[in-house]
Amino acid sequence: MSTPALSAEQEALFRLIEDTREHVFVTGRAGTGKSTLLQYLAWNTSKQIAVCAPTGVAALNVEGQTIHSLFKLPIGLIASGDIDQTDATRKILNAIDTLVIDEISMVNADLMDGIDRSLRQARNRRAEPFGGVQIVMFGDPYQLAPVPPRGDEARYIADHYRSFWFFDAKVWAGEAAGDGLIELGRHGADLHIRELTEIHRQSDPAFKALLNGVRYGHVTADMAGVLNGAGARKPPDPADGEHPIITLATRNDIVNTINRRHLDALVGRMQTANAEINGDFGRGDASYPADAELKLKVGAQVMFLRNDISNFGEPPRWVNGTIGTVKRITGSSVRVEVDGKTYDVEPAVWEKFRYAYNPGSKTLSREIVAEFQQFPLRLAWAVTIHKSQGKTYDRAIIDLGSGAFAPGQTYVALSRLTSLDGLYLTRPLRPSDIRVDPDVQRFMAGVRAARAQAT
């Protein structure tokens, strides 16, 4: 597999991770190349690394394992006390040099401490944070938030933590200082916070400035006027030969209604492609990287769910998020038109991995424990803002419905676009749509203040 080239700032950050044992949190605005750096690290490091993520789909995206599966942690609150560990789990955890966690913003504080306690216990190095394992985290707290705890779990978090965010875990106890370094007590861990700044998705400085305002919750009346003015235009009509355009909506029911209405309106026979699932891939669509039953008709608007990796030596014909139109359906392929060119798309295989310990070489290896085979396509007249995470669109209709209900939701939607020219709003943005979690504001303000003090 080829790996992407790195920018100068990505290369410098890779060297920090590769050449030191420092704990690093890699963050940055949407489109700064966090995923690119993670992929490069996974394929080019000389260290024994394990890659994990808080959800099954996120783990599939980075070809890793879920946190709970890797550490064999119980679902739900992870309180104090020893954690049950088998010999096999201890051997795996002892073989890790560097633990990479993607989508760290979705990791709760108690789970972060559970990772710390598991590693200390398995490696019999209880006085050392993470048992001596280097922790490298990727994510943007301004985008995805952890699922808030409820009931007794919420009361426990309120009694023991400043917030349920990963950065308020006890292992990071301390205050931000220096160049983004958090200085901690004798039993805590030092965290280098590095923010990628070079945006690759957008090129227009004015649009970047608008997105920054939404990201940080500092949207002036003039900025809102620019966004609402641009978004008030009538969306192009595909019936006039316009290229496909996608709607980003807040809720699944809105997305499903839009997709079903458009699909039903198409003439022709509905055809269903059933996924082939081997091994334990979990249950329900939330665990699957694509639809278990993909219903299509000729003329359907679809989105690719994976990058094209078969066009060796040439630019990819499509990437994750590319929008196209179905032109023909056979049993073995779906012909999709993208920007005036047609491609025969075949089923793709997603592999679910599990780390294993090789006692002979005393190294970690990855085993395939399940496979999911399906066409890498999804109906795409609409998609939820959450599922648009990581995607790039030239144009999109943003439907915030009755209002953004999660911090960062509006920022995620707007930052998918490459330019302001591609923005269409179903209604004007309201001040209540611009939501930033106050704990994120507090944490990142501390990081910026410490960095400014150090320069």
Side-chain angles (χ1 to χ4, degrees), residues 342-391:
T342 57
Y343 307 107
D344 287 326
V345 182
E346 298 178 343
V349 177
W350 285 264
E351 296 170 332
K352 184 176 180 179
F353 293 99
R354 179 178 62 201
Y355 286 95
Y357 178 70
N358 186 325
S361 61
K362 297 183 178 180
T363 59
L364 285 178
S365 61
R366 289 190 310 169
E367 299 175 343
I368 298 173
V369 295
E371 291 183 338
F372 182 101
Q373 181 172 297
Q374 177 61 288
F375 291 103
L377 302 169
R378 171 182 283 140
L379 290 178
W381 286 284
V383 67
T384 61
I385 293 171
H386 182 84
K387 288 182 178 177
S388 75
Q389 186 81 19
K391 309 291 194 299

Side-chain angles (χ1 to χ4, degrees), residues 61-85:
N61 289 338
V62 292
E63 297 185 333
Q65 196 170 344
T66 65
I67 295 170
H68 285 85
S69 173
L70 176 62
F71 286 87
K72 299 297 186 287
L73 292 170
I75 300 298
L77 184 69
I78 303 169
S80 58
D82 280 355
I83 296 169
D84 290 336
Q85 293 176 331

Side-chain angles (χ1 to χ4, degrees), residues 283-340:
R283 295 182 179 180
D285 288 343
S287 302
Y288 298 151
D291 292 338
E293 291 186 349
L294 176 61
K295 297 182 182 298
L296 294 176
K297 289 182 181 178
V298 171
Q301 182 167 296
V302 292
M303 178 176 69
F304 285 85
L305 301 177
R306 290 183 63 158
N307 294 345
D308 172 32
I309 58 173
S310 61
N311 205 26
F312 299 107
E314 300 293 334
R317 295 168 295 177
W318 60 79
V319 297
N320 187 3
T322 295
I323 305 296
T325 304
V326 173
K327 292 299 181 182
R328 185 167 67 89
I329 305 170
T330 69
S332 58
S333 69
V334 178
R335 180 165 293 174
V336 180
E337 180 181 341
V338 177
D339 293 333

Side-chain angles (χ1 to χ4, degrees), residues 78 101 104-105 107-117 120 129-130 135 137 146 156-157 160-175 182-185 187-191 439 442-443:
I78 303 169
I101 308 174
I104 188 63
S105 64
V107 174
N108 285 12
D110 68 296
L111 180 55
M112 191 83 246
D113 281 335
I115 293 170
D116 170 49
R117 200 158 62 252
R120 294 190 198 219
F130 301 106
I135 305 297
M137 303 173 290
Y156 179 91
I157 294 294
H160 292 83
Y161 291 96
R162 187 169 183 178
S163 80
F164 54 80
W165 285 85
F166 76 95
F167 47 73
D168 281 329
K170 296 182 187 302
V171 68
W172 309 122
E175 297 299 329
I182 292 188
E183 300 292 352
L184 304 158
H187 300 295
D190 298 337
L191 178 62
D439 290 304
R442 180 250 309 166
F443 172 69

Side-chain angles (χ1 to χ4, degrees), residues 80-144:
S80 58
D82 280 355
I83 296 169
D84 290 336
Q85 293 176 331
T86 64
D87 287 343
T89 298
R90 283 193 290 271
K91 287 178 180 178
I92 291 171
L93 298 185
N94 269 280
I96 298 173
D97 293 327
T98 299
L99 179 71
V100 178
I101 308 174
D102 194 26
E103 302 291 12
I104 188 63
S105 64
M106 298 181 70
V107 174
N108 285 12
D110 68 296
L111 180 55
M112 191 83 246
D113 281 335
I115 293 170
D116 170 49
R117 200 158 62 252
S118 293
L119 289 167
R120 294 190 198 219
Q121 180 181 319
R123 298 163 70 90
N124 199 25
R125 296 164 72 173
R126 295 181 182 258
E128 198 169 352
F130 301 106
V133 172
Q134 179 188 28
I135 305 297
V136 179
M137 303 173 290
F138 289 81
D140 180 9
Y142 285 104
Q143 296 186 54
L144 290 176

Side-chain angles (χ1 to χ4, degrees), residues 247-255 383-387 398-406 409-410 413 427 433:
T247 294
L248 309 184
T250 53
R251 303 198 320 265
N252 273 310
D253 59 336
I254 297 173
V255 167
V383 67
T384 61
I385 293 171
H386 182 84
K387 288 182 178 177
I398 296 178
D399 182 357
L400 295 176
S402 59
F405 59 81
Q409 199 170 41
T410 301
R427 65 160 175 81
D433 294 323

Side-chain angles (χ1 to χ4, degrees), residues 30-51:
T32 51
K34 297 182 292 295
S35 297
T36 298
L37 177 58
L38 190 157
Q39 180 186 343
Y40 186 92
L41 171 66
W43 283 86
N44 291 278
T45 183
S46 61
K47 298 177 179 179
Q48 288 284 307
I49 74 166
V51 182

